[in-house]
Amino acid sequence: PAFGGEFARQCFGRFGYPLWVPFKQPKVNCGQIVWKCASASDCSLSGKCDSTTAKCKCNPGWGGVRCNELQLAAANRSSGYNNNLNGKHTSSWGGCPVVDKDTGKYHLITSEITHHCGMSSWQTNSRIIDTVATGTFNSKYEMVKVLEVPFAHE
């Protein structure tokens, strides 16, 4: 072959646009066809199209050729809301941390299943609660009040 390295002895179509971009995964010989971007729509509205290069420049937290890949931060297993009362876990789901600009504290409005029931009882045991972070947004959250009684969904 005319070139070496990790893509030696592989065929990748043509050069120029549309462009073939191989995926950099072990033992995977495939990729995607990439066209030049013309607007933010071509960048999944998660970035801007650079008019000079015709390539997407992704917003923080987004990546990929079309800014359509979420770049998640590492999770902390002890963070979030995990109500554990007398050794019994409580199921919960949903929510997005928001900061209270007056207090600087992070709140997470979430759905919680009452009476330590599993997720299968969400239709009759789901309530909405307000939780507050003990530190930054990526820390443990504790319930401060019930916002809606059971049969309420976030």
Side-chain angles (χ1 to χ4, degrees):
F3 60 93
E6 65 179 310
F7 300 119
R9 298 176 192 234
Q10 298 181 36
C11 299
F12 295 119
R14 54 178 277 182
F15 293 95
Y17 283 92
L19 178 67
W20 174 259
V21 178
F23 293 141
K24 294 181 181 178
Q25 296 177 16
K27 300 181 182 179
V28 174
N29 186 10
C30 64
Q32 65 186 6
I33 296 175
V34 178
W35 282 267
K36 293 180 179 181
C37 65
S39 70
S41 294
D42 293 332
C43 302
S44 306
L45 300 177
S46 297
K48 294 184 179 182
C49 181
D50 185 317
S51 59
T52 306
T53 64
K55 292 183 180 179
C56 294
K57 292 199 179 230
C58 302
N59 295 336
W62 293 95
V65 176
R66 293 287 184 217
C67 302
N68 60 344
E69 298 173 13
L70 185 57
Q71 307 289 312
L72 296 173
N76 178 350
R77 288 188 65 84
S78 64
S79 67
Y81 177 69
N82 182 13
N83 188 5
N84 185 336
L85 182 62
N86 299 325
K88 294 182 179 181
H89 292 284
T90 300
S91 298
S92 63
W93 78 93
C96 179
V98 293
V99 66
D100 180 333
K101 292 182 181 177
D102 294 332
T103 65
K105 292 184 178 183
Y106 287 89
H107 288 257
L108 177 70
I109 309 300
T110 189
S111 297
E112 177 186 60
I113 306 299
T114 60
H115 309 297
H116 308 288
C117 297
M119 291 297 287
S120 61
S121 67
W122 71 271
Q123 290 180 325
T124 56
N125 291 66
S126 178
R127 68 181 179 183
I128 309 300
I129 60 172
D130 180 12
T131 65
V132 176
T134 56
T136 66
F137 77 93
N138 193 24
S139 63
K140 182 175 172 59
Y141 283 73
E142 296 176 349
M143 183 175 67
V144 290
K145 64 181 170 181
V146 175
L147 300 175
E148 293 290 336
V149 296
F151 200 68
H153 315 294
E154 181 241 345

